[in-house]
Amino acid sequence: MKDPYEVLGVARTASDSEIKTAYRELVKKYHPDNYANNPLADLASEKMKEINEAYDAITKARAGSSGGYQSSYQSHGSNAYSGANSAYAQVRAYINANQLDAAESMLNTAANRDAEWYYLKGCIAYRRGWLDEARQNYQTAVAMVPNNYEYQNALRTVQGGYTPYRQANYQNNNMDTACELCNTLLCLNCLCGGCR
Amino acid sequence: MFGYVRPRRDLLAPEDLEAYRAAYCGLCRALGKQYGFAARFLVNYDMTFLYLLRASAAPAAQSARCWCPAKLCGRKDCTLDPEGFGAAAACTVILTVEKLRDNVRDEGFFRGLPYRFLTLLYRRAYCRAARRLPDFAALTVRQLHALHALEAAKSPSIDAVADAFAQIVAGCAGDLKDPALRRPTEQLLYQTGRFLYLADALDDLRGDCQQDAYNPLRYRFSVSDGALTQGDLDYLTQLTDSSVNLAGAALALLPMRAHEALLENVIYLGLPSVFAAVKAGKFQSRDRIQWNKNAKRENEDKETDR
């Protein structure tokens, strides 16, 4: 097993709060939502496992000397699926195992092309990186069943509406302006006697 | 000095900018050392990014002052990493020569003469590079034939044509042995390749419409006066944004020991800025060298306005 401090990217002398902050940042970065239907979801899942194990190892070691600590983030199995159609369940299993050709040939044998058929077709295209085809299939699925959260979420992802953790940080260019505004309001408040 | 995959220099830390310049000069030097002086002219931003990406798993290599032919008597900082530059230099030579051969096939006898001459000039370099990366050379030939067939059939699927090109770019990581390193690198390069193809198609759209040449955007969207409608342009932007998101998610999974901020800058800031410049028609070939300077000037103007 790797050095848990190295996994979390902190020094051995780091305080408990520094470790917790580093851990939370990594959990945000490798959260399963960031890798939904991503062909690298398995690698992200392994990374999360490694981070959780490292955090648990550090907290247990430190609890031995100081006693008591909060347990790590637990994955909630976001891919839970309870569909009635066993053929679709098999297609989903193929997709999750990155066996896209098998998934597609099985899907093409289906006689009925309902919303889930288009959603799964979109998932296969998305994993291949064929984003235009994925989007068109997701749009058809959403148009057929507008209230399905899974279909809506997939469409939002391919529309670029969902940004991964790092990019969200890079898009904070307007934060400076927001901070300046807050500072101005604070100064104004002080000038008006709010600091008394 | 060409290429779409480049950082926003005005938003880079000084040490990262120095590392980027040193990598660019290092690749130029490695091309000269390994494939002869003429190969130095093939250096570009895209392959500098490829080197930095492949080199990120190891600690940053040393730099030294090296002679620069562009400065005649001058010297510049360049990264000294002959082993690390090996794959990037070989990919550069193979891709350039295969593209030249493709142009020889496409153009008539007289218009193809310059390409024939350049193909001959780089023939020995190509043989050496293909011996180093035989699988990549074979993949490039195969995928360019597939791309040619799709273009000849006037395919309306931007996914299919972009895939044929993106597979070549992803192949630049095909020789990596460790799957934990190879899979995210291939995914990142695939999405970058898709981005490159779509940005180039948009950049060439007006010219292709005037010459009645194939461009996938002409067959996928409604084009009038050599331009896309605003709705289609927004749709295309969302597609390239999704590619950037997927490339970023792959980058986060790489075990990085060097160049992290630089690579993130290229993916999250450089690519969207380049696409915005292409959309605005400010990324024409003659402006490409000036593009970073213009971006920097615009940023300075914004700071002044603020």
Side-chain angles (χ1 to χ4, degrees):
Chain A
M1 188 189 164
K2 278 187 188 173
D3 177 6
Y5 289 94
E6 197 181 314
V7 171
L8 296 188
V10 291
R12 288 182 174 277
T13 52
S15 67
D16 290 350
S17 67
E18 284 171 337
I19 289 167
K20 194 181 268 186
T21 306
Y23 169 72
R24 282 181 178 163
E25 284 293 306
L26 288 171
V27 166
K28 267 193 241 170
K29 186 174 175 180
Y30 297 106
H31 194 276
D33 287 353
N34 290 353
Y35 291 88
N37 200 29
N38 190 303
L40 303 174
D42 57 320
L43 292 181
S45 173
E46 279 173 29
K47 189 82 183 168
M48 272 297 288
K49 197 176 156 199
E50 188 182 69
I51 291 161
N52 280 331
E53 283 174 359
Y55 185 66
D56 283 342
I58 293 173
T59 50
K60 272 178 195 164
R62 291 195 173 196
S65 54
S66 61
Y69 217 98
Q70 197 178 331
S71 66
S72 63
Y73 164 86
Q74 298 297 317
S75 176
H76 47 73
S78 59
N79 280 334
Y81 169 68
S82 57
N85 191 327
S86 63
Y88 285 157
Q90 184 60 46
V91 170
R92 281 175 188 260
Y94 280 137
I95 292 171
N96 287 335
N98 272 337
Q99 295 176 17
L100 302 181
D101 288 339
E104 189 163 42
S105 57
M106 189 165 189
L107 201 58
N108 287 341
T109 59
N112 183 25
R113 296 193 171 186
D114 55 8
E116 187 163 6
W117 189 93
Y118 284 102
Y119 167 72
L120 292 174
K121 192 81 174 165
C123 288
I124 293 168
Y126 186 77
R127 287 218 172 201
R128 284 195 173 126
W130 289 42
L131 304 178
D132 185 28
E133 189 181 311
R135 182 168 167 166
Q136 288 176 45
N137 281 298
Y138 288 152
Q139 276 174 337
T140 309
V142 169
M144 290 169 95
V145 182
N147 297 324
N148 186 301
Y149 178 74
E150 191 179 26
Y151 306 163
Q152 286 172 4
N153 213 23
L155 180 59
R156 209 164 22 246
T157 303
V158 83
Q159 282 173 334
Y162 178 76
T163 52
Y165 163 77
R166 277 286 180 178
Q167 184 162 18
N169 282 357
Y170 273 104
Q171 285 176 338
N172 280 349
N173 293 341
N174 294 330
M175 280 301 288
D176 291 344
T177 319
C179 288
E180 280 170 20
L181 184 66
C182 285
N183 284 336
T184 311
L185 287 171
L186 277 171
C187 290
L188 194 66
N189 189 33
C190 286
L191 285 171
C192 295
C195 294
R196 266 182 291 172
Chain B
M1 287 171 64
F2 296 104
Y4 288 95
V5 190
R6 55 179 70 181
R8 275 288 300 265
R9 293 180 184 218
D10 53 318
L11 299 176
L12 265 182
E15 62 272 19
D16 289 327
L17 183 57
E18 268 178 38
Y20 185 73
R21 284 180 174 150
Y24 183 86
C25 295
L27 177 60
C28 176
R29 184 170 179 269
L31 281 164
K33 290 254 178 206
Q34 294 173 25
Y35 299 103
F37 184 80
R40 278 179 176 261
F41 291 97
L42 308 182
V43 67
N44 61 66
Y45 293 127
D46 299 344
M47 290 296 141
T48 306
F49 172 74
L50 176 66
Y51 162 71
L52 289 166
L53 182 64
R54 290 179 58 112
S56 65
Q62 294 290 312
S63 291
R65 301 289 288 174
C66 302
W67 172 70
C68 171
K71 290 185 79 176
L72 294 177
C73 305
R75 285 173 172 267
K76 292 175 90 171
D77 277 340
C78 68
T79 307
L80 300 177
D81 185 10
E83 193 53 40
F85 280 117
C91 288
T92 307
V93 172
I94 290 168
L95 285 172
T96 308
V97 174
E98 286 300 345
K99 182 64 190 153
L100 288 170
R101 287 176 177 172
D102 206 41
N103 288 347
V104 169
R105 277 191 294 270
D106 286 350
E107 304 291 343
F109 180 79
F110 288 108
R111 288 185 68 184
L113 276 178
Y115 301 119
R116 284 174 199 275
F117 169 74
L118 289 171
T119 308
L120 277 174
L121 180 70
Y122 291 118
R123 191 184 56 186
R124 285 185 65 188
Y126 178 83
C127 291
R128 208 175 300 157
R131 270 201 301 276
R132 187 187 167 105
L133 295 175
D135 292 340
F136 178 68
L139 172 87
T140 308
V141 173
R142 205 167 52 242
Q143 290 302 123
L144 281 176
H145 277 296
L147 189 59
H148 208 263
L150 286 165
E151 288 176 353
K154 300 199 184 323
S155 170
S157 167
I158 53 175
D159 283 334
V161 284
D163 176 78
F165 179 76
Q167 293 283 358
I168 299 174
V169 182
C172 292
D175 62 314
L176 294 175
K177 298 282 183 288
D178 181 6
L181 190 62
R182 192 185 66 244
R183 281 184 59 207
T185 311
E186 279 181 338
Q187 165 76 348
L188 193 158
L189 289 174
Y190 180 90
Q191 292 301 336
T192 308
R194 249 185 85 89
F195 176 93
L196 276 172
Y197 190 87
L198 295 178
D200 195 46
L202 184 62
D203 201 17
D204 294 342
L205 184 60
R206 191 173 294 276
D208 287 340
C209 287
Q210 283 166 358
Q211 293 168 17
D212 197 26
Y214 172 76
N215 186 312
L217 303 182
R218 286 181 68 192
Y219 296 91
R220 171 66 181 84
F221 301 111
S222 50
V223 178
S224 62
D225 296 333
L228 297 180
T229 62
Q230 190 56 47
D232 288 341
L233 205 52
D234 291 344
Y235 183 94
L236 190 66
T237 307
Q238 287 177 355
L239 285 184
T240 54
D241 283 350
S242 292
S243 282
V244 169
N245 288 347
L246 284 167
L251 184 70
L253 288 169
L254 285 170
M256 292 216 264
R257 297 175 71 187
H259 312 309
E260 188 173 3
L262 183 46
L263 292 168
E264 285 179 351
N265 179 301
V266 174
I267 297 293
Y268 293 127
L269 302 173
L271 295 184
S273 299
V274 164
F275 199 76
V278 170
K279 276 199 301 185
K282 292 180 182 173
F283 202 75
Q284 298 303 314
S285 55
R286 67 186 172 84
D287 295 330
R288 281 176 189 172
I289 297 167
Q290 284 293 319
W291 179 78
N292 267 306
K293 290 178 186 169
N294 292 342
K296 189 177 181 180
R297 202 173 301 132
E298 279 172 18
N299 203 46
E300 283 168 0
D301 290 346
K302 277 180 197 165
E303 289 291 324
T304 315
D305 292 346
R306 200 182 290 170

